[in-house]
Amino acid sequence: MNINRPIVVGVDDSASSLEAVRWAAEAAVRRESPLVLVSALLTPGHYGVPSAIPSRYFDNQENESKKILERAADVAARAAQGRTLAIKTDLRRGPVIGVLLDHVQTAEMVVL
């Protein structure tokens, strides 16, 4: 059982995000830490998000975010190069900063 704290990575659909995933995966392998890939979804009715957007928009956003996390998990697994790496994904609704801050207390580091 691994008692090391996880390395947390904020993931979006950018090339720099995938580079952060690669770097964090390599660091997690070296430290024998689990890797947590985190993404946040817009929340209808919150500041800056109009509530009149059709619900299918949010369903599509969630499906796309799941695909982004799957791609990031694949990148992390390839970066581990066959070495042991526990990878977990966390997709939540809410502001990105708040979602990442939820992980700060338990993380070894947060990579962006």
Side-chain angles (χ1 to χ4, degrees):
M1 180 172 151
N2 188 332
I3 58 171
N4 290 342
R5 295 173 5 151
I7 293 178
V8 175
V9 187
V11 177
D12 61 19
D13 198 19
S14 67
S16 60
S17 172
L18 293 179
E19 187 57 37
V21 168
R22 277 187 209 91
W23 185 92
E26 291 169 0
V29 167
R30 283 191 306 274
R31 295 169 188 255
E32 298 181 355
S33 295
L35 184 68
V36 180
L37 307 172
V38 179
S39 191
L41 296 168
L42 295 174
T43 304
H46 280 78
Y47 178 78
V49 181
S51 59
I53 295 175
S55 63
R56 71 181 172 279
Y57 170 83
F58 296 101
D59 293 339
N60 291 341
Q61 181 192 38
E62 183 173 348
N63 290 334
E64 184 58 30
S65 294
K66 287 178 181 177
K67 289 177 187 174
I68 290 167
L69 284 171
E70 287 174 14
R71 284 192 297 267
D74 288 343
V75 166
R78 284 194 307 272
Q81 299 177 352
R83 297 168 291 179
T84 301
L85 176 61
I87 303 169
K88 179 183 171 191
T89 60
D90 183 13
L91 176 61
R92 290 198 230 163
R93 293 203 180 273
V96 174
I97 298 297
V99 170
L100 288 170
L101 285 174
D102 286 346
H103 288 277
V104 168
Q105 294 299 316
T106 59
E108 175 73 20
M109 70 176 78
V110 176
V111 179
L112 303 173

XYZ file of all heavy atoms in Angstrom:
848
model
N 0.841 -1.187 0.000
C 0.000 0.000 0.000
C 0.880 1.242 0.000
O 1.793 1.383 0.782
C -0.890 -0.018 1.239
C -1.795 1.169 1.316
S -2.960 0.921 2.672
C -3.235 2.589 3.110
N 0.587 2.153 -0.900
C 1.349 3.383 -1.026
C 0.789 4.439 -0.084
O -0.380 4.775 -0.135
C 1.279 3.878 -2.469
C 2.213 5.037 -2.711
O 2.523 5.797 -1.812
N 2.645 5.164 -3.940
N 1.646 4.960 0.784
C 1.188 5.987 1.715
C 1.613 7.379 1.263
O 1.375 8.351 1.952
C 1.697 5.721 3.148
C 3.218 5.656 3.167
C 1.072 4.466 3.703
C 3.811 5.604 4.558
N 2.261 7.465 0.092
C 2.676 8.762 -0.420
C 1.467 9.584 -0.841
O 0.483 9.052 -1.340
C 3.625 8.599 -1.606
C 4.969 8.050 -1.192
O 5.337 8.084 -0.024
N 5.694 7.540 -2.147
N 1.609 10.886 -0.654
C 0.538 11.785 -1.076
C 0.556 11.905 -2.594
O 1.603 11.791 -3.221
C 0.731 13.139 -0.408
C 0.561 13.012 1.095
C 0.871 14.222 1.918
N 1.200 15.456 1.258
C 0.947 16.646 1.779
N 0.358 16.757 2.946
N 1.300 17.737 1.129
N -0.615 12.132 -3.206
C -0.684 12.160 -4.667
C -0.108 13.441 -5.262
O -0.047 14.486 -4.617
C -2.190 12.084 -4.941
C -2.821 12.673 -3.728
C -1.928 12.283 -2.579
N 0.298 13.318 -6.503
C 0.628 14.477 -7.322
C -0.622 14.759 -8.141
O -1.157 13.867 -8.803
C 1.850 14.205 -8.212
C 3.089 14.034 -7.316
C 2.033 15.321 -9.232
C 4.361 13.705 -8.048
N -1.103 15.982 -8.064
C -2.356 16.387 -8.697
C -2.038 17.266 -9.908
O -1.197 18.159 -9.821
C -3.241 17.163 -7.693
C -4.497 17.688 -8.367
C -3.596 16.278 -6.505
N -2.709 17.012 -11.025
C -2.495 17.784 -12.248
C -3.818 18.358 -12.728
O -4.786 17.624 -12.901
C -1.907 16.920 -13.383
C -1.542 17.776 -14.577
C -0.720 16.123 -12.913
N -3.840 19.670 -12.952
C -4.994 20.302 -13.581
C -4.938 20.035 -15.071
O -3.922 20.294 -15.718
N -6.030 19.487 -15.628
C -6.045 19.064 -17.026
C -7.127 19.831 -17.784
O -8.258 19.944 -17.326
C -6.330 17.543 -17.128
C -6.416 17.099 -18.568
C -5.279 16.747 -16.373
N -6.729 20.354 -18.946
C -7.690 20.912 -19.897
C -7.317 20.385 -21.279
O -6.595 19.396 -21.376
C -7.735 22.445 -19.828
C -6.412 23.112 -20.168
O -5.544 22.474 -20.795
O -6.238 24.277 -19.793
N -7.772 21.021 -22.314
C -7.551 20.499 -23.666
C -6.360 21.159 -24.358
O -6.306 21.214 -25.570
C -8.822 20.706 -24.500
C -8.856 19.837 -25.740
O -8.113 18.834 -25.789
O -9.611 20.163 -26.659
N -5.385 21.641 -23.608
C -4.243 22.333 -24.215
C -3.013 21.427 -24.280
O -2.872 20.473 -23.514
C -3.901 23.589 -23.416
O -3.410 23.228 -22.141
N -2.112 21.768 -25.192
C -0.847 21.031 -25.311
C -0.022 21.182 -24.038
O 0.621 20.222 -23.593
C -0.068 21.524 -26.527
N -0.043 22.363 -23.440
C 0.735 22.571 -22.215
C 0.183 21.736 -21.059
O 0.936 21.297 -20.190
C 0.783 24.055 -21.842
O -0.519 24.559 -21.636
N -1.109 21.486 -21.065
C -1.705 20.625 -20.042
C -1.174 19.202 -20.164
O -0.813 18.570 -19.166
C -3.228 20.637 -20.188
O -3.821 19.686 -19.354
N -1.093 18.706 -21.391
C -0.562 17.355 -21.591
C 0.913 17.285 -21.245
O 1.388 16.262 -20.743
C -0.822 16.883 -23.015
C -2.289 16.651 -23.363
C -2.435 16.205 -24.814
C -2.937 15.648 -22.421
N 1.647 18.351 -21.482
C 3.058 18.392 -21.069
C 3.157 18.351 -19.541
O 4.034 17.681 -18.986
C 3.749 19.635 -21.625
C 5.231 19.654 -21.377
C 5.972 18.439 -21.935
O 5.614 17.943 -23.017
O 6.923 17.974 -21.275
N 2.258 19.056 -18.861
C 2.224 19.006 -17.397
C 1.906 17.596 -16.913
O 2.482 17.123 -15.925
C 1.194 20.007 -16.858
N 1.012 16.905 -17.611
C 0.678 15.518 -17.259
C 1.915 14.630 -17.410
O 2.213 13.829 -16.518
C -0.490 14.991 -18.130
C -0.650 13.483 -17.978
C -1.788 15.713 -17.783
N 2.639 14.784 -18.518
C 3.861 13.982 -18.721
C 4.862 14.211 -17.595
O 5.408 13.269 -17.024
C 4.520 14.354 -20.058
C 3.953 13.672 -21.241
C 4.772 13.977 -22.505
N 3.902 13.901 -23.643
C 3.216 14.911 -24.163
N 3.335 16.122 -23.685
N 2.422 14.725 -25.190
N 5.113 15.479 -17.303
C 6.080 15.832 -16.266
C 5.652 15.270 -14.911
O 6.453 14.678 -14.184
C 6.237 17.351 -16.193
C 7.303 17.770 -15.247
C 8.617 17.999 -15.536
C 7.158 17.997 -13.836
N 9.291 18.349 -14.387
C 8.421 18.358 -13.336
C 6.077 17.926 -12.953
C 8.634 18.646 -11.992
C 6.290 18.204 -11.614
C 7.570 18.563 -11.145
N 4.373 15.456 -14.582
C 3.862 14.983 -13.292
C 3.890 13.464 -13.192
O 4.182 12.908 -12.131
C 2.443 15.506 -13.077
N 3.609 12.773 -14.300
C 3.652 11.307 -14.296
C 5.067 10.812 -14.015
O 5.266 9.895 -13.208
C 3.143 10.761 -15.628
N 6.039 11.439 -14.659
C 7.434 11.056 -14.405
C 7.820 11.333 -12.949
O 8.488 10.511 -12.308
C 8.356 11.795 -15.366
C 8.193 11.332 -16.803
C 8.890 12.231 -17.812
O 9.515 13.240 -17.422
O 8.787 11.923 -19.019
N 7.388 12.469 -12.417
C 7.670 12.792 -11.016
C 6.975 11.802 -10.081
O 7.551 11.376 -9.074
C 7.230 14.223 -10.704
N 5.749 11.422 -10.405
C 5.005 10.473 -9.568
C 5.687 9.107 -9.547
O 5.770 8.465 -8.493
C 3.568 10.352 -10.072
N 6.185 8.673 -10.681
C 6.905 7.394 -10.735
C 8.152 7.461 -9.852
O 8.408 6.551 -9.056
C 7.268 7.020 -12.191
C 8.267 5.882 -12.231
C 6.010 6.658 -12.976
N 8.924 8.538 -9.997
C 10.150 8.682 -9.193
C 9.843 8.689 -7.695
O 10.603 8.139 -6.900
C 10.883 9.978 -9.554
C 11.646 9.921 -10.844
C 12.567 11.115 -11.020
N 11.908 12.396 -10.894
C 11.292 13.043 -11.886
N 11.245 12.522 -13.092
N 10.738 14.224 -11.678
N 8.754 9.313 -7.308
C 8.398 9.441 -5.892
C 7.521 8.299 -5.379
O 7.146 8.272 -4.216
C 7.653 10.761 -5.662
C 8.491 11.976 -5.923
C 7.604 13.221 -5.935
N 8.329 14.390 -6.362
C 8.745 15.358 -5.561
N 8.476 15.296 -4.275
N 9.399 16.385 -6.029
N 7.128 7.410 -6.312
C 6.207 6.320 -5.983
C 4.907 6.873 -5.411
O 4.341 6.341 -4.449
C 6.855 5.310 -5.038
C 8.065 4.644 -5.640
C 8.717 3.628 -4.725
O 8.296 3.491 -3.557
O 9.657 2.967 -5.184
N 4.440 7.946 -6.019
C 3.194 8.606 -5.604
C 2.102 8.329 -6.629
O 2.388 8.178 -7.815
C 3.393 10.127 -5.524
O 4.304 10.461 -4.523
N 0.862 8.297 -6.189
C -0.231 8.202 -7.161
C -0.384 9.526 -7.907
O 0.074 10.572 -7.437
C -1.457 7.906 -6.295
C -1.090 8.329 -4.921
C 0.405 8.276 -4.811
N -1.009 9.468 -9.067
C -1.247 10.644 -9.895
C -2.750 10.871 -9.988
O -3.502 9.942 -10.269
C -0.663 10.412 -11.287
C -0.727 11.564 -12.275
C 0.185 12.708 -11.819
C -0.318 11.091 -13.667
N -3.188 12.095 -9.743
C -4.602 12.444 -9.852
C -4.744 13.510 -10.927
O -4.165 14.591 -10.817
C -5.182 12.954 -8.513
C -6.656 13.300 -8.666
C -4.988 11.923 -7.412
N -5.510 13.197 -11.960
C -5.776 14.111 -13.057
C -7.125 14.773 -12.795
O -8.136 14.082 -12.680
C -5.802 13.356 -14.382
C -4.567 12.492 -14.662
C -4.783 11.648 -15.909
C -3.327 13.360 -14.794
N -7.131 16.110 -12.708
C -8.318 16.845 -12.278
C -8.793 17.780 -13.380
O -7.994 18.485 -13.996
C -8.005 17.675 -11.009
C -9.215 18.471 -10.567
C -7.518 16.777 -9.888
N -10.099 17.788 -13.602
C -10.706 18.726 -14.542
C -12.006 19.247 -13.939
O -12.661 18.545 -13.161
C -10.977 18.038 -15.884
O -11.320 18.984 -16.863
N -12.350 20.479 -14.308
C -13.560 21.121 -13.774
C -14.497 21.492 -14.913
O -14.062 21.862 -16.004
C -13.181 22.361 -12.972
N -15.784 21.382 -14.633
C -16.823 21.723 -15.603
C -17.518 23.009 -15.185
O -17.664 23.285 -13.991
C -17.876 20.616 -15.653
C -17.407 19.255 -16.129
C -18.478 18.211 -15.833
C -17.108 19.297 -17.602
N -17.974 23.758 -16.178
C -18.787 24.936 -15.887
C -20.049 24.517 -15.144
O -20.602 23.449 -15.398
C -19.192 25.632 -17.184
C -18.080 26.237 -18.020
C -18.662 26.754 -19.334
C -17.409 27.368 -17.268
N -20.500 25.351 -14.246
C -21.709 25.068 -13.489
C -22.778 26.082 -13.869
O -22.570 27.280 -13.694
C -21.438 25.136 -11.976
O -20.377 24.224 -11.683
C -22.660 24.763 -11.178
N -23.923 25.630 -14.410
C -24.956 26.580 -14.803
C -25.448 27.398 -13.609
O -25.588 26.872 -12.507
C -26.075 25.712 -15.353
C -25.667 24.308 -15.195
C -24.298 24.251 -14.603
N -25.668 28.670 -13.860
C -26.211 29.532 -12.820
C -25.175 30.164 -11.921
O -25.505 30.938 -11.046
N -23.886 29.840 -12.094
C -22.843 30.468 -11.296
C -22.284 31.673 -12.046
O -22.469 31.815 -13.251
C -21.711 29.473 -10.990
C -22.055 28.546 -9.862
N -22.883 27.469 -10.028
C -21.704 28.573 -8.563
C -23.015 26.851 -8.866
N -22.315 27.496 -7.969
N -21.572 32.493 -11.345
C -21.014 33.707 -11.918
C -20.309 33.419 -13.234
O -19.454 32.557 -13.316
C -20.027 34.344 -10.935
C -19.370 35.590 -11.469
C -20.056 36.794 -11.476
C -18.092 35.554 -11.997
C -19.479 37.930 -11.981
C -17.503 36.684 -12.505
C -18.199 37.877 -12.497
O -17.621 39.000 -13.007
N -20.692 34.140 -14.274
C -20.049 33.997 -15.570
C -20.593 32.871 -16.431
O -20.181 32.704 -17.556
N -21.547 32.094 -15.923
C -22.126 30.996 -16.702
C -23.623 31.232 -16.806
O -24.346 31.070 -15.828
C -21.852 29.620 -16.040
C -22.441 28.511 -16.893
C -20.380 29.419 -15.817
N -24.111 31.626 -17.977
C -25.548 31.884 -18.115
C -26.372 30.634 -17.845
O -25.983 29.533 -18.239
C -25.702 32.319 -19.574
C -24.337 32.457 -20.135
C -23.370 31.825 -19.196
N -27.490 30.788 -17.185
C -28.332 29.631 -16.867
C -29.274 29.279 -18.008
O -29.939 28.260 -17.955
C -29.122 29.888 -15.586
O -29.927 31.042 -15.745
N -29.331 30.089 -19.066
C -30.225 29.822 -20.191
C -29.593 28.908 -21.242
O -30.180 28.672 -22.280
C -30.642 31.141 -20.837
N -28.415 28.393 -20.979
C -27.764 27.471 -21.917
C -28.508 26.134 -21.874
O -28.826 25.630 -20.798
C -26.280 27.271 -21.542
C -25.525 28.597 -21.697
C -25.641 26.194 -22.391
C -24.087 28.537 -21.235
N -28.789 25.542 -23.045
C -29.501 24.256 -23.058
C -28.736 23.180 -22.289
O -27.501 23.148 -22.319
C -29.573 23.894 -24.550
C -29.211 25.120 -25.298
C -28.437 26.007 -24.376
N -29.449 22.293 -21.639
C -28.817 21.259 -20.815
C -27.917 20.347 -21.633
O -26.923 19.839 -21.124
C -29.864 20.439 -20.067
O -30.680 19.754 -20.991
N -28.223 20.142 -22.908
C -27.376 19.269 -23.736
C -25.964 19.839 -23.868
O -25.009 19.099 -24.049
C -28.008 18.995 -25.089
C -28.030 20.152 -26.036
C -28.699 19.790 -27.366
N -28.875 20.968 -28.168
C -29.862 21.857 -28.038
N -30.797 21.665 -27.135
N -29.928 22.926 -28.819
N -25.834 21.172 -23.758
C -24.503 21.779 -23.787
C -23.653 21.212 -22.651
O -22.499 20.855 -22.837
C -24.596 23.302 -23.671
C -23.242 23.952 -23.460
C -22.418 24.221 -24.542
C -22.781 24.247 -22.179
C -21.165 24.789 -24.350
C -21.531 24.817 -21.984
C -20.730 25.089 -23.071
O -19.493 25.637 -22.886
N -24.230 21.122 -21.469
C -23.489 20.627 -20.306
C -23.227 19.130 -20.402
O -22.190 18.650 -19.967
C -24.207 21.011 -19.011
C -24.263 22.497 -18.830
C -25.412 23.200 -19.120
C -23.134 23.205 -18.427
C -25.444 24.582 -18.986
C -23.158 24.576 -18.295
C -24.322 25.275 -18.573
N -24.174 18.396 -21.018
C -23.943 16.968 -21.259
C -22.774 16.782 -22.224
O -21.903 15.940 -22.001
C -25.190 16.294 -21.836
C -26.344 16.255 -20.851
O -26.091 16.370 -19.629
O -27.502 16.128 -21.316
N -22.739 17.579 -23.293
C -21.636 17.510 -24.263
C -20.320 17.910 -23.606
O -19.280 17.300 -23.859
C -21.915 18.412 -25.465
C -23.057 17.902 -26.312
O -23.427 16.733 -26.240
N -23.640 18.780 -27.108
N -20.369 18.938 -22.766
C -19.167 19.390 -22.060
C -18.629 18.279 -21.158
O -17.425 18.027 -21.126
C -19.487 20.633 -21.230
C -18.283 21.169 -20.501
C -18.664 22.208 -19.472
O -19.695 22.084 -18.799
N -17.832 23.214 -19.325
N -19.518 17.600 -20.461
C -19.092 16.506 -19.587
C -18.479 15.360 -20.384
O -17.420 14.829 -20.019
C -20.270 15.998 -18.761
C -19.877 14.917 -17.785
C -20.995 14.519 -16.850
O -22.020 15.214 -16.783
O -20.830 13.491 -16.164
N -19.103 14.992 -21.499
C -18.562 13.917 -22.330
C -17.186 14.289 -22.878
O -16.272 13.458 -22.888
C -19.518 13.588 -23.475
C -20.776 12.906 -22.996
O -20.785 12.253 -21.955
N -21.849 13.058 -23.739
N -17.027 15.523 -23.338
C -15.742 15.963 -23.863
C -14.692 15.987 -22.754
O -13.539 15.593 -22.966
C -15.861 17.345 -24.518
C -14.587 17.806 -25.173
C -14.044 16.869 -26.249
O -14.833 16.161 -26.921
O -12.811 16.829 -26.416
N -15.065 16.428 -21.571
C -14.122 16.470 -20.450
C -13.666 15.063 -20.065
O -12.499 14.858 -19.732
C -14.747 17.171 -19.246
O -14.964 18.535 -19.545
N -14.569 14.108 -20.125
C -14.195 12.714 -19.846
C -13.179 12.213 -20.874
O -12.215 11.529 -20.522
C -15.430 11.816 -19.834
C -16.294 12.009 -18.608
C -17.531 11.138 -18.668
C -18.410 11.360 -17.448
N -19.662 10.582 -17.523
N -13.373 12.577 -22.140
C -12.428 12.181 -23.189
C -11.064 12.835 -22.966
O -10.025 12.201 -23.156
C -12.969 12.567 -24.563
C -14.144 11.739 -25.011
C -14.673 12.231 -26.340
C -15.951 11.520 -26.708
N -16.558 12.080 -27.930
N -11.074 14.094 -22.553
C -9.819 14.797 -22.270
C -9.070 14.104 -21.137
O -7.860 13.896 -21.217
C -10.097 16.283 -21.946
C -10.554 17.013 -23.220
C -8.880 16.953 -21.322
C -11.136 18.384 -22.961
N -9.784 13.719 -20.078
C -9.145 13.022 -18.965
C -8.632 11.649 -19.396
O -7.564 11.213 -18.945
C -10.101 12.902 -17.785
C -10.295 14.181 -16.977
C -11.429 14.014 -15.962
C -9.007 14.588 -16.285
N -9.367 10.967 -20.267
C -8.899 9.670 -20.779
C -7.602 9.843 -21.568
O -6.667 9.049 -21.409
C -9.968 9.029 -21.663
C -11.156 8.483 -20.902
C -12.268 7.994 -21.829
O -12.030 7.836 -23.059
O -13.384 7.779 -21.322
N -7.548 10.865 -22.429
C -6.315 11.130 -23.191
C -5.164 11.451 -22.245
O -4.041 10.981 -22.431
C -6.524 12.287 -24.180
C -7.311 11.892 -25.409
C -7.250 12.949 -26.499
N -7.836 14.218 -26.124
C -9.088 14.585 -26.349
N -9.916 13.762 -26.968
N -9.526 15.764 -25.983
N -5.449 12.252 -21.219
C -4.408 12.599 -20.252
C -3.921 11.362 -19.510
O -2.720 11.206 -19.267
C -4.934 13.647 -19.268
N -4.836 10.457 -19.161
C -4.440 9.214 -18.486
C -3.568 8.361 -19.401
O -2.598 7.738 -18.943
C -5.676 8.443 -18.032
N -3.878 8.339 -20.691
C -3.041 7.606 -21.652
C -1.642 8.216 -21.735
O -0.645 7.493 -21.769
C -3.684 7.609 -23.041
C -4.912 6.719 -23.138
O -5.098 5.851 -22.262
O -5.691 6.908 -24.093
N -1.573 9.550 -21.758
C -0.279 10.242 -21.792
C 0.524 9.890 -20.539
O 1.718 9.600 -20.612
C -0.477 11.768 -21.913
C 0.801 12.534 -21.614
C -1.005 12.119 -23.301
N -0.134 9.895 -19.387
C 0.543 9.572 -18.129
C 1.054 8.136 -18.136
O 2.189 7.871 -17.726
C -0.395 9.802 -16.948
N 0.237 7.219 -18.611
C 0.650 5.806 -18.657
C 1.854 5.627 -19.578
O 2.789 4.890 -19.247
C -0.520 4.936 -19.111
N 1.850 6.315 -20.725
C 3.004 6.230 -21.630
C 4.249 6.837 -21.000
O 5.350 6.309 -21.145
C 2.689 6.906 -22.969
C 1.791 6.068 -23.861
C 1.748 6.574 -25.290
N 1.418 7.981 -25.418
C 0.189 8.480 -25.498
N -0.846 7.662 -25.446
N -0.008 9.773 -25.628
N 4.080 7.924 -20.269
C 5.223 8.577 -19.608
C 5.827 7.675 -18.534
O 7.023 7.744 -18.260
C 4.801 9.914 -19.007
N 4.999 6.826 -17.934
C 5.491 5.913 -16.894
C 6.360 4.813 -17.501
O 7.127 4.167 -16.779
C 4.318 5.298 -16.136
N 6.274 4.597 -18.789
C 7.093 3.634 -19.516
C 7.104 2.253 -18.868
O 8.149 1.660 -18.635
C 8.515 4.162 -19.677
C 8.578 5.448 -20.448
C 9.982 6.005 -20.551
O 10.921 5.522 -19.931
N 10.122 7.042 -21.347
N 5.916 1.760 -18.543
C 5.802 0.420 -17.993
C 6.051 0.312 -16.503
O 5.870 -0.749 -15.927
N 6.496 1.395 -15.889
C 6.699 1.367 -14.437
C 5.353 1.546 -13.741
O 4.397 2.037 -14.321
C 7.675 2.462 -14.023
C 9.064 2.242 -14.647
C 9.945 3.431 -14.487
N 9.411 4.521 -15.330
C 9.935 5.725 -15.413
N 11.000 6.035 -14.690
N 9.418 6.643 -16.195
N 5.283 1.172 -12.486
C 4.036 1.251 -11.737
C 3.635 2.703 -11.486
O 4.429 3.494 -10.985
C 4.179 0.529 -10.377
O 4.533 -0.835 -10.630
C 2.893 0.589 -9.590
N 2.402 3.028 -11.870
C 1.856 4.346 -11.633
C 0.350 4.229 -11.456
O -0.356 3.820 -12.382
C 2.169 5.306 -12.792
C 1.568 6.704 -12.691
C 2.073 7.436 -11.453
C 1.861 7.503 -13.956
N -0.126 4.556 -10.271
C -1.566 4.586 -10.019
C -2.106 5.911 -10.540
O -1.635 6.974 -10.145
C -1.848 4.445 -8.528
N -3.081 5.827 -11.450
C -3.662 7.021 -12.063
C -5.151 7.069 -11.733
O -5.878 6.102 -11.970
C -3.478 7.010 -13.590
C -2.009 6.890 -13.960
C -4.111 8.255 -14.225
C -1.759 6.613 -15.437
N -5.587 8.212 -11.210
C -6.998 8.435 -10.900
C -7.433 9.714 -11.604
O -6.637 10.639 -11.749
C -7.182 8.580 -9.393
C -8.598 8.849 -8.959
C -8.688 9.049 -7.471
C -10.089 9.526 -7.111
N -10.168 9.987 -5.736
N -8.685 9.755 -12.058
C -9.215 10.981 -12.637
C -10.305 11.533 -11.725
O -10.982 10.779 -11.022
C -9.786 10.753 -14.051
O -10.843 9.805 -13.983
C -8.697 10.274 -15.004
N -10.448 12.853 -11.751
C -11.451 13.525 -10.930
C -12.081 14.631 -11.769
O -11.439 15.636 -12.054
C -10.800 14.103 -9.671
C -11.804 14.749 -8.730
O -13.028 14.540 -8.912
O -11.374 15.475 -7.818
N -13.320 14.422 -12.175
C -14.072 15.390 -12.954
C -15.194 15.928 -12.086
O -16.033 15.156 -11.612
C -14.638 14.737 -14.218
C -15.526 15.593 -15.103
C -14.757 16.811 -15.618
C -16.069 14.772 -16.260
N -15.178 17.240 -11.860
C -16.196 17.846 -10.998
C -16.758 19.110 -11.621
O -16.113 19.772 -12.405
C -15.587 18.227 -9.658
C -15.229 17.043 -8.828
C -15.055 17.457 -7.411
N -13.796 16.926 -6.930
C -13.191 17.355 -5.847
N -13.681 18.351 -5.167
N -12.075 16.801 -5.455
N -17.953 19.458 -11.195
C -18.560 20.740 -11.568
C -18.121 21.791 -10.562
O -18.061 21.529 -9.370
C -20.072 20.650 -11.576
C -20.590 19.747 -12.667
C -22.017 20.056 -13.051
N -22.444 19.165 -14.102
C -22.252 19.394 -15.392
N -21.641 20.489 -15.771
N -22.663 18.534 -16.291
N -17.808 22.962 -11.089
C -17.424 24.062 -10.218
C -16.282 24.847 -10.816
O -15.735 24.475 -11.858
N -15.910 25.923 -10.153
C -14.794 26.737 -10.654
C -13.479 25.974 -10.545
O -13.240 25.247 -9.576
C -14.806 27.967 -9.748
C -15.611 27.588 -8.564
C -16.505 26.457 -8.950
N -12.634 26.135 -11.551
C -11.366 25.409 -11.615
C -10.549 25.610 -10.340
O -10.042 24.642 -9.756
C -10.556 25.859 -12.850
C -9.175 25.230 -12.848
C -11.296 25.518 -14.124
N -10.411 26.847 -9.906
C -9.607 27.132 -8.707
C -10.150 26.381 -7.500
O -9.389 25.768 -6.750
C -9.560 28.650 -8.436
C -8.898 29.380 -9.590
C -8.866 28.944 -7.125
C -7.458 29.021 -9.816
N -11.449 26.397 -7.314
C -12.048 25.698 -6.179
C -11.825 24.205 -6.231
O -11.521 23.568 -5.212
N -11.958 23.635 -7.415
C -11.759 22.190 -7.572
C -10.313 21.824 -7.255
O -10.044 20.851 -6.544
C -12.173 21.745 -8.990
C -11.753 20.315 -9.259
C -13.680 21.898 -9.181
N -9.369 22.616 -7.759
C -7.957 22.334 -7.463
C -7.643 22.548 -5.984
O -6.896 21.769 -5.387
C -7.051 23.201 -8.333
C -6.998 22.804 -9.805
C -6.264 23.860 -10.610
C -6.354 21.441 -9.986
N -8.207 23.585 -5.400
C -7.950 23.839 -3.977
C -8.454 22.711 -3.091
O -7.904 22.474 -2.013
C -8.562 25.173 -3.549
C -7.819 26.417 -4.020
C -8.602 27.682 -3.658
C -6.418 26.466 -3.444
N -9.477 21.995 -3.545
C -9.965 20.837 -2.778
C -8.881 19.778 -2.610
O -8.918 18.985 -1.676
C -11.177 20.201 -3.468
C -12.435 21.027 -3.329
O -12.467 21.953 -2.483
O -13.397 20.754 -4.080
N -7.911 19.757 -3.514
C -6.847 18.754 -3.480
C -5.584 19.224 -2.760
O -4.716 18.410 -2.459
C -6.472 18.335 -4.909
C -7.509 17.496 -5.569
N -7.612 16.143 -5.372
C -8.508 17.822 -6.424
C -8.612 15.671 -6.067
N -9.182 16.670 -6.722
N -5.460 20.504 -2.507
C -4.209 21.059 -1.992
C -3.784 20.442 -0.661
O -2.606 20.135 -0.462
C -4.306 22.602 -1.885
C -3.159 23.184 -1.091
C -4.363 23.217 -3.266
N -4.688 20.249 0.240
C -4.337 19.756 1.579
C -3.792 18.331 1.571
O -3.024 17.966 2.453
C -5.553 19.837 2.517
C -6.000 21.243 2.803
C -4.919 22.075 3.483
O -4.251 21.612 4.398
N -4.747 23.297 3.024
N -4.184 17.543 0.581
C -3.754 16.139 0.568
C -2.694 15.847 -0.489
O -2.180 14.738 -0.535
C -4.957 15.215 0.335
O -5.571 15.567 -0.914
C -5.968 15.318 1.467
N -2.343 16.836 -1.314
C -1.421 16.601 -2.422
C 0.038 16.835 -2.026
O 0.336 17.698 -1.217
C -1.776 17.519 -3.593
N 0.897 16.048 -2.626
C 2.342 16.278 -2.534
C 2.667 17.557 -3.284
O 3.462 18.377 -2.826
C 3.094 15.085 -3.154
C 4.579 15.249 -3.239
C 5.262 15.125 -1.884
O 4.661 14.559 -0.956
O 6.403 15.594 -1.766
N 2.068 17.694 -4.461
C 2.213 18.918 -5.262
C 1.055 18.998 -6.226
O 0.422 17.997 -6.528
C 3.548 18.956 -6.000
C 3.673 17.958 -7.126
S 5.207 18.083 -8.085
C 6.372 17.276 -6.998
N 0.794 20.235 -6.694
C -0.215 20.466 -7.721
C 0.528 21.026 -8.930
O 1.275 21.988 -8.823
C -1.297 21.455 -7.235
C -2.285 21.758 -8.361
C -2.033 20.906 -6.022
N 0.307 20.393 -10.075
C 1.014 20.764 -11.311
C 0.002 21.353 -12.279
O -1.070 20.785 -12.511
C 1.691 19.526 -11.935
C 2.411 19.880 -13.222
C 2.623 18.861 -10.943
N 0.382 22.504 -12.840
C -0.497 23.163 -13.827
C 0.257 23.414 -15.103
O 1.434 23.622 -15.112
C -0.998 24.502 -13.272
C -1.732 24.419 -11.945
C -2.022 25.804 -11.423
C -3.018 23.628 -12.106
